[in-house]
Structure formats: C-alpha cells, structure tokens
Amino acid sequence: MKEILVRPERCMGCRSCEIACAVEHSVSRDLFRALSEMPQKRLYVEHVPEYSLAVPILCRHCEDAPCVAVCPTGALTQDALTGVVRHNRDVCIGCWTCASVCTYGVIGRDRRARVAIKCDRCPELDVPACVSACPTRALIYGVVEDLSEARRAASALKLARGVAASR
Ligand code: SF4
Ligand code: SF4
C-alpha cells in the first residue's frame, strides 16, 4: 500500500507542493486560472525557525483513523483497500470534531462552504500532485517498508564508516 512519505531533511521550504495541491483541487486545475478561484491547499509546509527547517505536514491517512471514528455524520470514511481517508462534503456539517482529534492538525476549513477539507491523495492521479511538484524529492509516493529499508541501509553505512575509521 503506497503512502505519501516525507523526508524532511530534503525540504527547502519552496512551497511548490502547497501550490500544486491547491491547483489540483481547483476547478480549472490551471495555475493561472486557479489564482482567481483561490483554491485551498490540503498540506502545510511548516517553518521551524529554531532549527531553520521547513517540514511538510499532511494527512497520514492513519490506521483506524480517529477523525473517521468521531465524525458524527459519516462524512469521513476510510477505504478498506487503500487506507485513504476521504471526506464527503455533502454530509459534512462543519462541526470540527475531526479537527479536534487530528494529531497533525491537517483538517482545514473551506471558508465559503463552511465544511472540512483534507487530503484525498489525488484520486485522479497516479502520483499525488504534491509529490510530483517537489523538486528535491522531499515527498515520495511509496511503501513504508522501502523507506525504512533505505533508512536502515544509510544508518548501517554510517555505523560501518565509524567502525572502520576507529580501527
Ligand atoms: S486527518 Fe488527521 S486523524 Fe484523520 S487520517 Fe489524516 S492525519 Fe489521521
Ligand atoms: S516542494 Fe518539496 S522542497 Fe518544496 S516545500 Fe514542498 S516538500 Fe519542501
């Protein structure tokens, strides 16, 4: 099962992902025409000045997602096959119960319709728009096991280098 995975050490804070997200969720899906629509993004590049870092924060489509569990109208549902948490704006009543339990703070508010908005992982695209737009590959679309394997290999290499240098 693929997820949007974040490699914060690669993020340069350019916000290309945020723009691509907003355009993908606009009516025109065109950068220049979308400007007049003012579409809203569904992921957030948070700047952490203490460490001079930018960190993209987006819906993790959690296992047993708490937002789904607390939604009183069934507006939030989780696909059993893909794990994607989707939002049905037609039955959303804008009560913000989902926002109050989301650890990541990634439930947004559609200012005009007064309903929640969140990442839908771009169901019409093979690769989510934010991932395609990231110039540094800080966002990747892949399986967790592959990311963990790559991280393990990198850690092993660092450790091995240290051991070799101390011989
Ligand atoms: S909106 Fe928040 S709680 Fe719901 S699946 Fe996404 S990260 Fe998890
Ligand atoms: S596009 Fe990539 S590098 Fe730019 S802000 Fe988003 S995650 Fe960071």
Side-chain angles (χ1 to χ4, degrees):
M1 199 153 57
K2 283 186 166 182
E3 315 280 349
I4 300 173
L5 300 165
V6 180
R7 298 190 287 187
E9 72 280 8
R10 287 176 169 242
C11 180
M12 58 180 183
C14 67
R15 299 191 185 272
S16 302
C17 51
E18 287 185 349
I19 295 167
C21 177
V23 172
E24 176 59 24
H25 294 94
S26 67
V27 176
S28 64
R29 296 192 181 176
D30 174 86
L31 176 60
F32 295 105
R33 279 188 285 167
L35 285 174
S36 59
E37 291 176 36
M38 295 178 61
Q40 286 178 259
K41 63 189 178 183
R42 289 136 194 249
L43 89 164
Y44 308 84
V45 177
E46 296 291 329
H47 284 265
V48 187
E50 296 91 320
Y51 298 103
S52 304
L53 281 174
V55 183
I57 303 285
L58 66 156
C59 174
R60 304 312 319 153
H61 299 275
C62 313
E63 308 282 340
D64 299 324
C67 57
V68 174
V70 299
C71 177
T73 67
L76 287 161
T77 52
Q78 187 154 33
D79 187 295
L81 201 63
T82 63
V84 171
V85 172
R86 294 226 166 82
H87 174 253
N88 179 350
R89 55 192 291 126
D90 293 338
V91 293
C92 178
I93 56 172
C95 66
W96 317 116
T97 311
C98 52
S100 65
V101 298
C102 174
T103 309
Y104 285 89
V106 288
I107 302 270
R109 175 190 176 111
D110 182 322
R111 291 181 290 267
R112 279 163 288 197
R114 297 176 58 84
V115 293
I117 49 168
K118 68 172 293 300
C119 168
D120 57 4
R121 221 187 263 167
C122 300
E124 291 167 32
L125 302 177
D126 290 337
V127 176
C130 56
V131 174
S132 300
C134 178
T136 62
R137 301 203 72 231
L139 298 174
I140 50 173
Y141 192 46
V143 293
V144 172
E145 289 85 348
D146 289 346
L147 178 71
S148 296
E149 191 181 321
R151 296 250 193 240
R152 280 199 301 277
S155 297
L157 183 63
K158 261 189 212 160
L159 199 61
R161 257 197 220 120
V163 171
S166 66
R167 274 186 185 150

